[in-house]
Amino acid sequence: MPSPSDPCHEPRACDGALARAFGFLGKRWNGVILGTLTAGPAGFSELRRAVSGISDSVLSERLTELAKAGVVQRTVHDGPPVGVVYQLTEAGQALLPAMRELTTWANENLPPVPAEPVSAEPVSSDAVRAEPVRAEPVRAEL
């Protein structure tokens, strides 16, 4: 095994292009927005409903970033009413094979995310502002 002082030894590093891709696609919400747009063009409200938990301002910011990067196209349709539609560009479509592979990998290798329990009780405004409850880990007996 070569030593670090060996002139032939090169330090390990991730490929720069791969690091840029994960930096961009790994930014919170970007991958989810792109994944949502794989089903076809969508308006802002439709995206907001599809991407659970994102605020209007963050969705707007991410869509602007994705458009500047050339993977999403923003089209304004004259009204009335005026409509804005977002869709994947050719560069965004080029991500589809990689996204399908990531989906397959995640299904085969990552544990499923538990569904949030649905309550029949109406939620009070106080409950929405309350701090989340941190559950203790469940320990299985062998």
Side-chain angles (χ1 to χ4, degrees), residues 122-132:
V123 177
S124 73
S125 60
D126 292 336
V128 173
R129 282 177 271 190
E131 288 293 318

Side-chain angles (χ1 to χ4, degrees), residues 137-142:
V138 177
R139 298 174 196 250
E141 291 185 34
L142 300 176

